[in-house]
Each structure stands twice: as structure tokens, then as C-alpha cells.
Amino acid sequence: MSLPAAAQSVPREPSGNVFVDKKGVMRWQKGKQEVALFGVNYTTPFAHAYRAHQRLGVPHEQAIAQDVYHLSRLGVDAFRVHVWDVEITDTVGNLQENEHLKLLDFLVNQLKQRGIKIILTPIAYWNNGYPEEDTGTGFSSIYSKTQAYTNPRAIAAQERYLTQFLNHRNPYTKQLNREDPDIIAFEVCNEPKYNKPEAQITSFADRMTQAIRATGCRKPVFYNVSENPDVYEAVLNAKVDGLTYQWYPQGLVSGHALLGNFLPYVDQYPIPYRQDPRFTSRAKMIYEFESADIIQPVMYPFMARSFREAGFQWATQFAYDPLAMAYANTEYQTHYLNLAYTPAKAISLLIAGKVFRNVKRGQSFGRYPADSVFNSFRVSYRQQLSEMNSPEEFYYTNSTTTAPKQPAKLQHLAGVGSSPVVRYGGTGAYFLDKLAPGVWRLEIMPDAVPIRDPFEKASLSKHVTQILWNEQPLQVSLQELGSNFSIKGLNVNNTVQAQATNGRTTVQPGVYLLSAAGKPTSAFTEQSTFRHIKLGEFVAPQATELGPQVLHTPPAQAVAGQPLRIAATLTGLASGDSVFLVAQHYYGRTRTLPMSTATYATVEATVPADLLYAGQLRYWVVLRNGNKSLTFPGGFRGKPRDWDYAHTEHFAVPIVATGTPLPLFQAHLDQERIEARGLASNAWTDYVTLPNGPLALRLVQGPPRKGQPAATGPAANLRAYFGDKLASRQIDMGTFKEVVVRARSSQPGAQVKMTLMTKDAVAYSAPLPLSAEVQDIRIPLSAFQPDALLLAPRPYPGFLPLQYQSGSKAALKLAEVEVLQVVWDAAAVTRNPLSVDIEFISLQ
């Protein structure tokens, strides 16, 4: 049964194909409205995702159908993928009717049923191995990217393949790819690799476009221009309808979660040749984007707004993690996005889609931080909050005190945490959608708890997020529902029939019908349709069978004579369990302290001051149920004070006197938590031992390669987040007077500076004079002056700005600082490489 017309009144994009007008605007054929579509890449039919589902025993069709349902819940209306041609062709370009092609066809059909539009990139150029061995046998397995546009056989293979791919009939839709109205355009190839001369590049792009046109296809043809910025004119001169770009604003594959305020990195997307008529007359598409190695739910809405300011009409994140694999994040470890496993980041994608469709093409809101509030949106790094608040829609990525703009007009709500409308005790995402006056659909996802850094080296045998199915408290405050609304389960095996008391109830993951007292609901069944879903649809992973888990990083230091709060993430706490902190001054007194539950999966206790005299505090988290105990770290049976507890693992924190130096970077300890990279093409980083033995980070700049111009600007840098370290010394913040750097340089007069960045991304710098000998350089905090912030890790594409200048002129406040950078400017290198070695940086 379909819902009443009022519940179905959802704006729909015009059906049919699109065209690009003379001003480079992509429009729907029917109605001529501008296109504005936002979504994801998704790769289950191919490569590692395909093999991982096989290994896990998950049917591919089932996985695709479930993931596309979640994409629909997140409001996705755009899908793009670079088709792994290496898995569906032979070496001469003949299309192979195999399982990979069948699954792509199935995926296309699923997307169409959810109203999601599609742009396909038929040629990927990738083999299929990453992160494993290559097994592909198509033409991309024998031709490199540079051969692809220069070797006549490679060119012929691509022409043959494009012809057959566009003329391929999808057995599910019964339509040819070139005719399917929901496949609105084609991007020829994914991230080609080009060198001068440019004429050969233009010729190849024209030949590929002609191969598509020769099939009778009249849909827009897009071509990648951002991967090869040095020869961009070659693509601008080609006979294509649109240009494609990507955005990785802080690089890729840091190997750990990046911390700090990265909003300046996504504040704008300025294209150097944006006034060129060959650019302005083409449609613009972002084929891939991601805030790589960042789990913060604040990046996507800013990126979406910057895309619109730059004139883009299509943007698709890379890549949405399939549900079956998201527990381990092996689908490109530098990315992590899934509704069940990264709920806040997923809701931020939903909000970003709203931004993309709401902000006008070319519209600007100024520069950060003035643009943190725009239209119906708000983004806050400090609160880790992205928010949309319009009369009909209210979405948030974290608990918020913001009230809905017009509660009586509210139609849709989604969030993580609590708000004035919904107070929820769990950590999963939830959705509330109005079906009729006094009748709402509630969808609750399971609790998701991070238990490891998701951006470390990945493995299908290692869980990074734990899923738990819990009964959680819920309070809904909607006037039209009243305080005693009814609750009815809708999804399979959900037989709940209950009534709220003062708006309060408890719920488990699932789908529910909420109805005001006396409201008839017989018209709303699990088969009723709403937008592109059925009311009873529900997809969620099963609980992770890992048992209790603890995630905790000890404070960097504790201050002697001051109480110390210890907080940890603890999952699997069951009814009747109790949690204790066993705290021991090393070889001294030991206390067993009860830990309280602050919020779900967070436990905490305060170690009293009398245990915190100078030395070291060792401690353990103990989960007890009756006579059984588990001790962390390690999850071992028993308690640390048992006579036969033989495990040596423990947490530890040094206890220091007021005024003791605070290490901000130590080369021998911090390799896995800092970012150190070369920025110039002939620069890199390494670790070396100094003459007196300690390990040091080495920044290196080599001579330019033959024919390469001398490097200019920053050569290499170190970036280190230390906000967590500083937090442990808040009580004696006023004692710190200087930054001390132990370092040296092989270059006399090396241009090196030390930069401190605040939570609001205001940068302050001071010169760092180095000599050939290892020495301590002392920089008074008063010497740091407002400066531009180096955007490192380096944004990609390489034409994007490397600096952000805050408008603030306020003096440095140490309590606001959380990131340091050491920036080394390029020098003239003639023969032997130059280097800068950094052993440690501390506050004193």
C-alpha cells in the first residue's frame, strides 16, 4: 500500500537525460532545471570488495541491496564508480559477460529503484589487486597509463571496449547503458597519466569521445583534467562536454587518524584557470572526494559548500564502505564511511547532500571562520557538530542544544546523540520521518563504538568498530505526538507494542511506527512505500561477537598533588556488571576505585591526589560480574591484585611536578602519531640516529632531477597534534614560557620556522635558527606572531592553495593551541642532499 499523497509529496528531479548548455551548465532535458546531485562511489562488484565478500561468505547481491538501502536513507542521489575494466575485458578490449559485469548491472538496477542517478567511468586503468595481488586479465593488465594513450593497440582496445560497454544491455533493466535515462553521463577514464606534448593528449581524448558518440550516445561526456594539472590545456582543447576533478584536501594514507581543525583545508576550491572560456563553457564534476584519515563529522558539509562555490554540479565521495566489510575498514583504509559503523560521519554526508542542493552554484559565504554558519547550516569543529535546521528538516551529527527552527512544520529529523527533540542514550544514528499528522516512522541503528584507530594498517581479521544491540532510553518531544504516543514495531521479527510515558520509552535497533493517542494507523504497514523505501525495511549488522573491549590512551602526564580523571571506552557492560579502576603508584600504594558510566560505553574515575606524588601511576580497568573478572589492557581473566595474575600489561602515566617540561614531539616515540612529509618533488623524510645516540626525524631535500626547476616554497614539514598532551597539564598552563627544540641542520642559515596552531586554526610562527651541531633552541612564547598556516599534509590536486591566513591578530593563548608544525623552506641544492634533524620539541 502506498502512503497518502501528503506523505508522498517529495520533490523529484526531472526524469530523462541531461544536456550541457552553452554556458557550461548541466540541465535536465525536461524542465531545463539545473542538475545538482550528490553521493558516493561504491565498489562491491569489483576488486577487493568483491573478493572480501566472497571470503566472508556474504552474497554480493544481498550486500548491494542492503548498502543501496542505506544510501537511500542518507539521501544520496548520485552514484559514480570507475569500472574495473581489467575484470570485464580481454586484452584487446572485448567486453566479457562475467560475474563482475552482472553485479554492476544488478547495482545499477538497485540504484534506479531508489531514485539514484548514475555516472559511469568505463575505464579505470587500475588492476584489481590493492591491497592484495593483481589478478585482472584485461587490457589494463598489460598497458600502463602512459601507454594507454600512446600505444596504438591500447587505443584500439579502449575504443572497442567503449563501443561494447555502451551497447551492453543490462539484463535487469532491459536497457542499453547508452540509453538508460538514469545513467545521465559518462566519464571516459579514471585518473590518466599524461606528459607533454599536449596534442597527443587532446587527440586521444577526442578519439575516446568519438568512440562513445559513434554508438549513438548523446549524453554528456566528461574527462579528467585535475590529475595532470601541468597539461590541463590539452583537455580544455578536447571535444568533451564536461571536466572532472577530485579533492583529497589533506592527502591520503597517513596511517592513523588525523587530529586538529582541518576546516581551513576545505574552505575553498579555487581552480587557477577558472576564467578561461574553455573551462566556463564545460560542466564540472567532482568524481571523488574524501576527508581522508579524518573521522570528524564536520568536513563533508564544508566540502559540499566549497564545491558549489566553485561551480560543480555533481560530487561523489570515494568510497562508501560496504556494510559486510566496514567492521575492518579494508576497503581503502584511508577512507571510512558507513551508516552503521561511522554514524556521525554518515549523517554529515546526509547534511552535505542538503548543502549541495541548497547552496546555489557560484554562491559564496566568505572565508573561514565567518562561513561556519550559512543558510540553514552550521559547522563547529569545537563541538564536532554539523547541523541543518530548516522549518521542515533538522539534522545533527552530535548532541546539540539547538532547537528546531519551526517545530510545528518539522517533517524529517536524523541525528546522533541528543537534541531538544530527541534524547537518546545510544551511539547509533536514528531517523524520524513524518508520514501523516501525528504519525511518524522511527528508525534506530545499533550502537557503534570505535575500538581501534580505523586508519591503521587494515586486515579483515581486525575489528576497528564494535556493533552492539542494546535497549536504550529514548525521549521524543514532538507536540503533535504528545507525551503518551504508541510505539509499534514494523521490521521483521519486531513485535514491539508499547506506549510512551511522558514521551519516554526504551527501544532496540529497528523500525517503529510512532502515533499520537487515538490516531488510526491501519494504513501504514511494513509494505507501505515512503519516498524510495518501504516502511518495514531495516538493515543493520549483527552484534560484534568480541566480548567486552576497552579503548584508552593514558594521559601524557599527571601533575603531582592533583587529582586525575581517567576515562575509557568500555563496551559490553551487562546488567549486574561493575567496573573498577585499580590504580597503583609504582611499587607504592594501590587503590581500587569504582568507575561510573558517564554516557553509554564511557566509564570514568578520579584518582585521588594522595596517590599522585612524583613518580609513575600504573593502572588497570577491571570489569566484574559476580566472581568473574576481566582486566584491561588485554582482556585477561582475573584481577591485577590476584596472587596468580601474571600478565604484565598495564596503563601508565608519569607523575610530574609543576613546571616539568611537557614533550610535544619525541622522535623515538611518536612516529605513528605525527605527519612528516616532503612537500617539494625532491624532498622526503626519514629517521636517523644522532651522534650521541638518540633517534631523530630527518627532513631531506635532494637536488632537482635533470630538467626539473629548482624547488621553491616549503620543502618538507613536521605536523604534530598535541592537544591531548596539553590537556593533561591544564592546571599549570601558566608555568610554560618557551618552546624548546633539539635539532640541527646540514645547511648553514636554513630557513626553518616553528608554527603553533589553535583550535580555531589561527597560526603563530617564530624563526627556528639551526646550526650544524645538535643543540637546544629556545623560543619564548612571546616570540610567536600571527602567520599563515601551511596546509599540510598537502592538499590534492596540487593546484590548490598551500596556505590559509586567518584574519585574527590576537596574541597567542597557549591554552588554545593544539598543533605544531616545523616548516623548512626549499633551498638551492647542487650535489648532496640537505637535511634537518629534529630529536624532540617540548614546552618548558
Side-chain angles (χ1 to χ4, degrees), residues 442-471:
L442 170 68
E443 183 170 358
I444 297 273
M445 295 296 292
D447 295 318
V449 182
I451 56 175
R452 287 186 181 89
D453 188 328
F455 305 114
E456 297 172 350
K457 189 174 179 60
S459 168
L460 285 172
S461 64
K462 183 178 75 172
H463 290 72
V464 299
T465 304
Q466 188 174 9
I467 296 293
L468 301 107
W469 285 57
N470 297 299
E471 191 169 72

PDB file of all heavy atoms in Angstrom, residues 442-471:
ATOM      1  N   LEU A 442      10.121   5.846  12.934  1.00  0.00           N
ATOM      2  CA  LEU A 442      11.381   5.939  13.653  1.00  0.00           C
ATOM      3  C   LEU A 442      12.267   4.773  13.258  1.00  0.00           C
ATOM      4  O   LEU A 442      11.842   3.615  13.294  1.00  0.00           O
ATOM      5  CB  LEU A 442      11.134   5.900  15.168  1.00  0.00           C
ATOM      6  CG  LEU A 442      12.371   5.740  16.060  1.00  0.00           C
ATOM      7  CD1 LEU A 442      13.251   6.975  16.001  1.00  0.00           C
ATOM      8  CD2 LEU A 442      11.947   5.438  17.502  1.00  0.00           C
ATOM      9  N   GLU A 443      13.490   5.066  12.860  1.00  0.00           N
ATOM     10  CA  GLU A 443      14.474   4.023  12.551  1.00  0.00           C
ATOM     11  C   GLU A 443      15.685   4.221  13.458  1.00  0.00           C
ATOM     12  O   GLU A 443      16.266   5.308  13.512  1.00  0.00           O
ATOM     13  CB  GLU A 443      14.889   4.096  11.083  1.00  0.00           C
ATOM     14  CG  GLU A 443      15.856   2.997  10.670  1.00  0.00           C
ATOM     15  CD  GLU A 443      16.074   2.928   9.160  1.00  0.00           C
ATOM     16  OE1 GLU A 443      15.424   3.721   8.438  1.00  0.00           O
ATOM     17  OE2 GLU A 443      16.870   2.092   8.712  1.00  0.00           O
ATOM     18  N   ILE A 444      16.071   3.173  14.162  1.00  0.00           N
ATOM     19  CA  ILE A 444      17.174   3.228  15.139  1.00  0.00           C
ATOM     20  C   ILE A 444      18.243   2.234  14.724  1.00  0.00           C
ATOM     21  O   ILE A 444      17.977   1.038  14.592  1.00  0.00           O
ATOM     22  CB  ILE A 444      16.677   2.872  16.556  1.00  0.00           C
ATOM     23  CG1 ILE A 444      15.640   3.881  17.044  1.00  0.00           C
ATOM     24  CG2 ILE A 444      17.859   2.762  17.512  1.00  0.00           C
ATOM     25  CD1 ILE A 444      16.192   5.084  17.724  1.00  0.00           C
ATOM     26  N   MET A 445      19.472   2.714  14.542  1.00  0.00           N
ATOM     27  CA  MET A 445      20.595   1.834  14.226  1.00  0.00           C
ATOM     28  C   MET A 445      21.260   1.342  15.520  1.00  0.00           C
ATOM     29  O   MET A 445      21.153   1.974  16.567  1.00  0.00           O
ATOM     30  CB  MET A 445      21.618   2.570  13.366  1.00  0.00           C
ATOM     31  CG  MET A 445      21.102   2.972  11.990  1.00  0.00           C
ATOM     32  SD  MET A 445      20.687   1.540  10.959  1.00  0.00           S
ATOM     33  CE  MET A 445      22.322   0.840  10.671  1.00  0.00           C
ATOM     34  N   PRO A 446      21.961   0.201  15.454  1.00  0.00           N
ATOM     35  CA  PRO A 446      22.645  -0.304  16.655  1.00  0.00           C
ATOM     36  C   PRO A 446      23.730   0.656  17.139  1.00  0.00           C
ATOM     37  O   PRO A 446      24.154   1.569  16.419  1.00  0.00           O
ATOM     38  CB  PRO A 446      23.269  -1.629  16.180  1.00  0.00           C
ATOM     39  CG  PRO A 446      22.621  -1.952  14.893  1.00  0.00           C
ATOM     40  CD  PRO A 446      22.158  -0.670  14.289  1.00  0.00           C
ATOM     41  N   ASP A 447      24.184   0.424  18.351  1.00  0.00           N
ATOM     42  CA  ASP A 447      25.292   1.203  18.888  1.00  0.00           C
ATOM     43  C   ASP A 447      26.581   0.832  18.163  1.00  0.00           C
ATOM     44  O   ASP A 447      26.869  -0.350  17.944  1.00  0.00           O
ATOM     45  CB  ASP A 447      25.458   0.944  20.387  1.00  0.00           C
ATOM     46  CG  ASP A 447      24.259   1.441  21.175  1.00  0.00           C
ATOM     47  OD1 ASP A 447      23.772   2.537  20.867  1.00  0.00           O
ATOM     48  OD2 ASP A 447      23.805   0.722  22.097  1.00  0.00           O
ATOM     49  N   ALA A 448      27.352   1.841  17.790  1.00  0.00           N
ATOM     50  CA  ALA A 448      28.652   1.649  17.160  1.00  0.00           C
ATOM     51  C   ALA A 448      29.703   2.286  18.057  1.00  0.00           C
ATOM     52  O   ALA A 448      29.589   3.459  18.409  1.00  0.00           O
ATOM     53  CB  ALA A 448      28.676   2.284  15.772  1.00  0.00           C
ATOM     54  N   VAL A 449      30.730   1.518  18.417  1.00  0.00           N
ATOM     55  CA  VAL A 449      31.757   2.015  19.335  1.00  0.00           C
ATOM     56  C   VAL A 449      33.133   1.763  18.720  1.00  0.00           C
ATOM     57  O   VAL A 449      33.491   0.615  18.453  1.00  0.00           O
ATOM     58  CB  VAL A 449      31.670   1.326  20.712  1.00  0.00           C
ATOM     59  CG1 VAL A 449      32.714   1.906  21.653  1.00  0.00           C
ATOM     60  CG2 VAL A 449      30.272   1.466  21.299  1.00  0.00           C
ATOM     61  N   PRO A 450      33.923   2.819  18.487  1.00  0.00           N
ATOM     62  CA  PRO A 450      35.287   2.631  17.973  1.00  0.00           C
ATOM     63  C   PRO A 450      36.137   1.899  19.007  1.00  0.00           C
ATOM     64  O   PRO A 450      36.126   2.244  20.192  1.00  0.00           O
ATOM     65  CB  PRO A 450      35.797   4.057  17.761  1.00  0.00           C
ATOM     66  CG  PRO A 450      34.575   4.929  17.770  1.00  0.00           C
ATOM     67  CD  PRO A 450      33.591   4.244  18.651  1.00  0.00           C
ATOM     68  N   ILE A 451      36.881   0.888  18.549  1.00  0.00           N
ATOM     69  CA  ILE A 451      37.757   0.158  19.468  1.00  0.00           C
ATOM     70  C   ILE A 451      39.209   0.161  18.982  1.00  0.00           C
ATOM     71  O   ILE A 451      40.094  -0.323  19.691  1.00  0.00           O
ATOM     72  CB  ILE A 451      37.274  -1.293  19.683  1.00  0.00           C
ATOM     73  CG1 ILE A 451      37.142  -2.039  18.356  1.00  0.00           C
ATOM     74  CG2 ILE A 451      35.964  -1.305  20.449  1.00  0.00           C
ATOM     75  CD1 ILE A 451      36.794  -3.514  18.528  1.00  0.00           C
ATOM     76  N   ARG A 452      39.473   0.698  17.791  1.00  0.00           N
ATOM     77  CA  ARG A 452      40.832   0.872  17.283  1.00  0.00           C
ATOM     78  C   ARG A 452      40.837   2.054  16.327  1.00  0.00           C
ATOM     79  O   ARG A 452      39.789   2.458  15.821  1.00  0.00           O
ATOM     80  CB  ARG A 452      41.327  -0.369  16.538  1.00  0.00           C
ATOM     81  CG  ARG A 452      41.673  -1.561  17.412  1.00  0.00           C
ATOM     82  CD  ARG A 452      42.295  -2.684  16.596  1.00  0.00           C
ATOM     83  NE  ARG A 452      42.607  -3.838  17.424  1.00  0.00           N
ATOM     84  CZ  ARG A 452      41.748  -4.838  17.667  1.00  0.00           C
ATOM     85  NH1 ARG A 452      40.546  -4.801  17.127  1.00  0.00           N
ATOM     86  NH2 ARG A 452      42.099  -5.853  18.429  1.00  0.00           N
ATOM     87  N   ASP A 453      42.018   2.568  16.055  1.00  0.00           N
ATOM     88  CA  ASP A 453      42.160   3.602  15.029  1.00  0.00           C
ATOM     89  C   ASP A 453      41.805   2.972  13.681  1.00  0.00           C
ATOM     90  O   ASP A 453      42.466   2.034  13.235  1.00  0.00           O
ATOM     91  CB  ASP A 453      43.605   4.104  15.019  1.00  0.00           C
ATOM     92  CG  ASP A 453      43.794   5.312  14.114  1.00  0.00           C
ATOM     93  OD1 ASP A 453      43.092   5.417  13.090  1.00  0.00           O
ATOM     94  OD2 ASP A 453      44.671   6.146  14.414  1.00  0.00           O
ATOM     95  N   PRO A 454      40.771   3.470  12.997  1.00  0.00           N
ATOM     96  CA  PRO A 454      40.336   2.819  11.756  1.00  0.00           C
ATOM     97  C   PRO A 454      41.278   3.023  10.579  1.00  0.00           C
ATOM     98  O   PRO A 454      41.111   2.383   9.539  1.00  0.00           O
ATOM     99  CB  PRO A 454      38.987   3.486  11.479  1.00  0.00           C
ATOM    100  CG  PRO A 454      39.099   4.835  12.107  1.00  0.00           C
ATOM    101  CD  PRO A 454      39.938   4.625  13.339  1.00  0.00           C
ATOM    102  N   PHE A 455      42.272   3.917  10.740  1.00  0.00           N
ATOM    103  CA  PHE A 455      43.152   4.236   9.621  1.00  0.00           C
ATOM    104  C   PHE A 455      44.525   3.583   9.746  1.00  0.00           C
ATOM    105  O   PHE A 455      45.422   3.858   8.964  1.00  0.00           O
ATOM    106  CB  PHE A 455      43.280   5.752   9.491  1.00  0.00           C
ATOM    107  CG  PHE A 455      41.945   6.438   9.368  1.00  0.00           C
ATOM    108  CD1 PHE A 455      41.481   7.296  10.352  1.00  0.00           C
ATOM    109  CD2 PHE A 455      41.131   6.185   8.276  1.00  0.00           C
ATOM    110  CE1 PHE A 455      40.246   7.907  10.241  1.00  0.00           C
ATOM    111  CE2 PHE A 455      39.884   6.790   8.158  1.00  0.00           C
ATOM    112  CZ  PHE A 455      39.438   7.657   9.138  1.00  0.00           C
ATOM    113  N   GLU A 456      44.695   2.701  10.737  1.00  0.00           N
ATOM    114  CA  GLU A 456      45.905   1.899  10.820  1.00  0.00           C
ATOM    115  C   GLU A 456      45.898   0.864   9.698  1.00  0.00           C
ATOM    116  O   GLU A 456      44.929   0.731   8.950  1.00  0.00           O
ATOM    117  CB  GLU A 456      45.967   1.170  12.170  1.00  0.00           C
ATOM    118  CG  GLU A 456      46.057   2.082  13.380  1.00  0.00           C
ATOM    119  CD  GLU A 456      45.921   1.312  14.683  1.00  0.00           C
ATOM    120  OE1 GLU A 456      45.562   0.108  14.633  1.00  0.00           O
ATOM    121  OE2 GLU A 456      46.161   1.904  15.732  1.00  0.00           O
ATOM    122  N   LYS A 457      46.980   0.111   9.599  1.00  0.00           N
ATOM    123  CA  LYS A 457      47.055  -0.968   8.616  1.00  0.00           C
ATOM    124  C   LYS A 457      45.865  -1.894   8.808  1.00  0.00           C
ATOM    125  O   LYS A 457      45.576  -2.333   9.925  1.00  0.00           O
ATOM    126  CB  LYS A 457      48.361  -1.744   8.762  1.00  0.00           C
ATOM    127  CG  LYS A 457      48.611  -2.744   7.636  1.00  0.00           C
ATOM    128  CD  LYS A 457      49.983  -3.372   7.759  1.00  0.00           C
ATOM    129  CE  LYS A 457      50.231  -4.392   6.665  1.00  0.00           C
ATOM    130  NZ  LYS A 457      50.160  -3.822   5.305  1.00  0.00           N
ATOM    131  N   ALA A 458      45.170  -2.177   7.721  1.00  0.00           N
ATOM    132  CA  ALA A 458      43.881  -2.862   7.808  1.00  0.00           C
ATOM    133  C   ALA A 458      44.021  -4.367   7.600  1.00  0.00           C
ATOM    134  O   ALA A 458      44.946  -4.848   6.938  1.00  0.00           O
ATOM    135  CB  ALA A 458      42.923  -2.287   6.765  1.00  0.00           C
ATOM    136  N   SER A 459      43.076  -5.107   8.153  1.00  0.00           N
ATOM    137  CA  SER A 459      43.000  -6.550   7.974  1.00  0.00           C
ATOM    138  C   SER A 459      41.574  -6.993   8.238  1.00  0.00           C
ATOM    139  O   SER A 459      40.916  -6.478   9.144  1.00  0.00           O
ATOM    140  CB  SER A 459      43.953  -7.269   8.932  1.00  0.00           C
ATOM    141  OG  SER A 459      43.692  -8.661   8.951  1.00  0.00           O
ATOM    142  N   LEU A 460      41.091  -7.952   7.449  1.00  0.00           N
ATOM    143  CA  LEU A 460      39.755  -8.492   7.687  1.00  0.00           C
ATOM    144  C   LEU A 460      39.673  -9.229   9.020  1.00  0.00           C
ATOM    145  O   LEU A 460      38.579  -9.517   9.505  1.00  0.00           O
ATOM    146  CB  LEU A 460      39.348  -9.430   6.549  1.00  0.00           C
ATOM    147  CG  LEU A 460      38.945  -8.747   5.237  1.00  0.00           C
ATOM    148  CD1 LEU A 460      38.757  -9.773   4.138  1.00  0.00           C
ATOM    149  CD2 LEU A 460      37.665  -7.926   5.415  1.00  0.00           C
ATOM    150  N   SER A 461      40.805  -9.538   9.618  1.00  0.00           N
ATOM    151  CA  SER A 461      40.815 -10.230  10.914  1.00  0.00           C
ATOM    152  C   SER A 461      40.826  -9.261  12.082  1.00  0.00           C
ATOM    153  O   SER A 461      40.865  -9.679  13.240  1.00  0.00           O
ATOM    154  CB  SER A 461      42.037 -11.148  11.002  1.00  0.00           C
ATOM    155  OG  SER A 461      43.234 -10.401  10.966  1.00  0.00           O
ATOM    156  N   LYS A 462      40.787  -7.944  11.807  1.00  0.00           N
ATOM    157  CA  LYS A 462      40.883  -6.941  12.881  1.00  0.00           C
ATOM    158  C   LYS A 462      39.676  -6.018  12.851  1.00  0.00           C
ATOM    159  O   LYS A 462      39.448  -5.305  11.889  1.00  0.00           O
ATOM    160  CB  LYS A 462      42.171  -6.120  12.718  1.00  0.00           C
ATOM    161  CG  LYS A 462      42.393  -5.098  13.812  1.00  0.00           C
ATOM    162  CD  LYS A 462      43.702  -4.348  13.635  1.00  0.00           C
ATOM    163  CE  LYS A 462      43.634  -3.331  12.528  1.00  0.00           C
ATOM    164  NZ  LYS A 462      44.838  -2.479  12.469  1.00  0.00           N
ATOM    165  N   HIS A 463      38.895  -6.032  13.908  1.00  0.00           N
ATOM    166  CA  HIS A 463      37.758  -5.132  14.026  1.00  0.00           C
ATOM    167  C   HIS A 463      38.239  -3.747  14.478  1.00  0.00           C
ATOM    168  O   HIS A 463      39.060  -3.646  15.394  1.00  0.00           O
ATOM    169  CB  HIS A 463      36.745  -5.650  15.036  1.00  0.00           C
ATOM    170  CG  HIS A 463      36.005  -6.881  14.583  1.00  0.00           C
ATOM    171  ND1 HIS A 463      36.600  -8.111  14.515  1.00  0.00           N
ATOM    172  CD2 HIS A 463      34.715  -7.049  14.180  1.00  0.00           C
ATOM    173  CE1 HIS A 463      35.695  -9.003  14.091  1.00  0.00           C
ATOM    174  NE2 HIS A 463      34.555  -8.388  13.883  1.00  0.00           N
ATOM    175  N   VAL A 464      37.702  -2.712  13.849  1.00  0.00           N
ATOM    176  CA  VAL A 464      38.024  -1.352  14.288  1.00  0.00           C
ATOM    177  C   VAL A 464      36.823  -0.676  14.944  1.00  0.00           C
ATOM    178  O   VAL A 464      36.984   0.314  15.662  1.00  0.00           O
ATOM    179  CB  VAL A 464      38.551  -0.486  13.128  1.00  0.00           C
ATOM    180  CG1 VAL A 464      39.819  -1.079  12.552  1.00  0.00           C
ATOM    181  CG2 VAL A 464      37.502  -0.298  12.036  1.00  0.00           C
ATOM    182  N   THR A 465      35.635  -1.204  14.701  1.00  0.00           N
ATOM    183  CA  THR A 465      34.417  -0.679  15.330  1.00  0.00           C
ATOM    184  C   THR A 465      33.582  -1.863  15.789  1.00  0.00           C
ATOM    185  O   THR A 465      33.449  -2.852  15.073  1.00  0.00           O
ATOM    186  CB  THR A 465      33.598   0.182  14.354  1.00  0.00           C
ATOM    187  OG1 THR A 465      34.417   1.232  13.856  1.00  0.00           O
ATOM    188  CG2 THR A 465      32.379   0.775  15.035  1.00  0.00           C
ATOM    189  N   GLN A 466      33.028  -1.740  16.979  1.00  0.00           N
ATOM    190  CA  GLN A 466      32.195  -2.800  17.532  1.00  0.00           C
ATOM    191  C   GLN A 466      30.729  -2.389  17.474  1.00  0.00           C
ATOM    192  O   GLN A 466      30.374  -1.252  17.793  1.00  0.00           O
ATOM    193  CB  GLN A 466      32.599  -3.092  18.979  1.00  0.00           C
ATOM    194  CG  GLN A 466      31.921  -4.320  19.576  1.00  0.00           C
ATOM    195  CD  GLN A 466      32.457  -4.654  20.956  1.00  0.00           C
ATOM    196  OE1 GLN A 466      33.213  -3.873  21.544  1.00  0.00           O
ATOM    197  NE2 GLN A 466      32.094  -5.809  21.492  1.00  0.00           N
ATOM    198  N   ILE A 467      29.900  -3.322  17.013  1.00  0.00           N
ATOM    199  CA  ILE A 467      28.452  -3.106  16.948  1.00  0.00           C
ATOM    200  C   ILE A 467      27.795  -3.835  18.114  1.00  0.00           C
ATOM    201  O   ILE A 467      28.094  -5.012  18.368  1.00  0.00           O
ATOM    202  CB  ILE A 467      27.873  -3.616  15.615  1.00  0.00           C
ATOM    203  CG1 ILE A 467      28.438  -2.804  14.448  1.00  0.00           C
ATOM    204  CG2 ILE A 467      26.347  -3.564  15.638  1.00  0.00           C
ATOM    205  CD1 ILE A 467      28.004  -1.351  14.411  1.00  0.00           C
ATOM    206  N   LEU A 468      26.908  -3.135  18.825  1.00  0.00           N
ATOM    207  CA  LEU A 468      26.201  -3.738  19.949  1.00  0.00           C
ATOM    208  C   LEU A 468      24.713  -3.434  19.837  1.00  0.00           C
ATOM    209  O   LEU A 468      24.320  -2.304  19.533  1.00  0.00           O
ATOM    210  CB  LEU A 468      26.748  -3.210  21.277  1.00  0.00           C
ATOM    211  CG  LEU A 468      28.250  -3.478  21.488  1.00  0.00           C
ATOM    212  CD1 LEU A 468      29.033  -2.190  21.335  1.00  0.00           C
ATOM    213  CD2 LEU A 468      28.502  -4.116  22.847  1.00  0.00           C
ATOM    214  N   TRP A 469      23.915  -4.439  20.071  1.00  0.00           N
ATOM    215  CA  TRP A 469      22.455  -4.270  20.082  1.00  0.00           C
ATOM    216  C   TRP A 469      22.029  -4.142  21.549  1.00  0.00           C
ATOM    217  O   TRP A 469      22.066  -5.100  22.308  1.00  0.00           O
ATOM    218  CB  TRP A 469      21.772  -5.472  19.426  1.00  0.00           C
ATOM    219  CG  TRP A 469      21.881  -5.470  17.930  1.00  0.00           C
ATOM    220  CD1 TRP A 469      23.015  -5.428  17.191  1.00  0.00           C
ATOM    221  CD2 TRP A 469      20.798  -5.503  17.005  1.00  0.00           C
ATOM    222  NE1 TRP A 469      22.723  -5.434  15.848  1.00  0.00           N
ATOM    223  CE2 TRP A 469      21.359  -5.480  15.702  1.00  0.00           C
ATOM    224  CE3 TRP A 469      19.412  -5.541  17.132  1.00  0.00           C
ATOM    225  CZ2 TRP A 469      20.584  -5.506  14.548  1.00  0.00           C
ATOM    226  CZ3 TRP A 469      18.625  -5.586  15.987  1.00  0.00           C
ATOM    227  CH2 TRP A 469      19.213  -5.554  14.711  1.00  0.00           C
ATOM    228  N   ASN A 470      21.632  -2.946  21.910  1.00  0.00           N
ATOM    229  CA  ASN A 470      21.243  -2.660  23.286  1.00  0.00           C
ATOM    230  C   ASN A 470      19.848  -2.045  23.320  1.00  0.00           C
ATOM    231  O   ASN A 470      19.400  -1.434  22.352  1.00  0.00           O
ATOM    232  CB  ASN A 470      22.223  -1.677  23.934  1.00  0.00           C
ATOM    233  CG  ASN A 470      23.617  -2.233  24.047  1.00  0.00           C
ATOM    234  OD1 ASN A 470      23.829  -3.250  24.706  1.00  0.00           O
ATOM    235  ND2 ASN A 470      24.589  -1.589  23.409  1.00  0.00           N
ATOM    236  N   GLU A 471      19.196  -2.205  24.441  1.00  0.00           N
ATOM    237  CA  GLU A 471      17.975  -1.456  24.684  1.00  0.00           C
ATOM    238  C   GLU A 471      18.390  -0.125  25.295  1.00  0.00           C
ATOM    239  O   GLU A 471      19.066  -0.085  26.322  1.00  0.00           O
ATOM    240  CB  GLU A 471      17.063  -2.220  25.640  1.00  0.00           C
ATOM    241  CG  GLU A 471      15.667  -1.643  25.730  1.00  0.00           C
ATOM    242  CD  GLU A 471      14.709  -2.561  26.468  1.00  0.00           C
ATOM    243  OE1 GLU A 471      14.860  -2.664  27.699  1.00  0.00           O
ATOM    244  OE2 GLU A 471      13.856  -3.181  25.821  1.00  0.00           O
TER     245      GLU A 471
END
